[in-house]
């Protein structure tokens, strides 16, 4: 018998554009500094306008705000690949409401792409 009353939901999305590695490092440095806020923006695909193989395909960007990076580690020795963790407020569907989430992500600052997973 399962007595666990809490079900953790995870959803994964592609990062299509994001910040430079310098901004990532600076945002971690000032994550809890009340006097300085460095906004970090990721363009995350929540949907697509046409099938992915269509030349006119564009992505529908997720609404994301108050993103705070609380953990940053090098993923490999390149200096551009990172594992990130933190929290934010986001809408995980084009018609959804903005809610708080924790996130983990892999991000390559050289090509400015990666993968992000949200947990509620």
């Amino acid at each position: 018998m399962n007595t666990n009353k809490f079900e953790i939901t995870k959803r994964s999305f592609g990062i299509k554009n994001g910040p430079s590695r310098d901004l990532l490092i600076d945002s971690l440095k000032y994550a809890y500094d009340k006097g300085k806020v460095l906004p970090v923006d990721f363009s995350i695909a929540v949907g697509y306008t046409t099938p992915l193989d269509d030349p006119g395909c564009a992505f529908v960007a997720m609404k994301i705000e108050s993103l705070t990076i609380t953990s940053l580690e090098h993923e490999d020795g390149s200096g551009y690949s990172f594992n990130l963790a933190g929290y934010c407020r986001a809408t995980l569907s084009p018609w959804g409401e903005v809610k708080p989430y924790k996130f983990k992500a892999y991000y390559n600052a050289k090509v400015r792409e990666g993968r992000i997973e949200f947990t509620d």
Side-chain angles (χ1 to χ4, degrees):
M1 179 174 174
N2 186 356
T3 58
N4 186 2
K5 295 186 186 226
F6 298 103
E7 185 175 320
I8 296 174
T9 304
K10 295 181 181 181
R11 297 207 39 210
S12 183
F13 299 91
I15 299 171
K16 299 300 180 187
N17 191 21
S20 68
R21 69 177 169 176
D22 293 335
L23 184 56
L24 285 177
I25 292 166
D26 288 343
S27 69
L28 177 66
K29 182 169 57 173
Y30 294 111
Y32 295 107
D33 189 334
K34 301 295 182 199
K36 187 165 189 155
V37 176
L38 288 175
V40 178
D41 294 322
F42 287 97
S43 293
I44 300 168
V46 71
Y48 295 91
T49 58
T50 61
L52 288 175
D53 57 352
D54 188 324
C57 182
F59 69 90
V60 178
M62 175 184 294
K63 182 177 181 183
I64 189 164
E65 55 191 44
S66 304
L67 187 132
T68 302
I69 296 173
T70 58
S71 174
L72 177 68
E73 70 178 4
H74 282 286
E75 194 268 336
D76 63 9
S78 72
Y80 290 96
S81 294
F82 296 97
N83 291 319
L84 313 169
Y87 57 91
C88 65
R89 295 182 46 79
T91 178
L92 302 187
S93 68
W95 55 87
E97 64 182 271
V98 177
K99 295 178 10 182
Y101 293 96
K102 292 181 182 177
F103 72 86
K104 290 182 181 178
Y106 162 77
Y107 178 68
N108 185 311
K110 191 170 194 170
V111 296
R112 302 213 173 183
E113 292 183 346
R115 198 87 187 141
I116 188 165
E117 180 181 84
F118 293 96
T119 308
D120 57 2

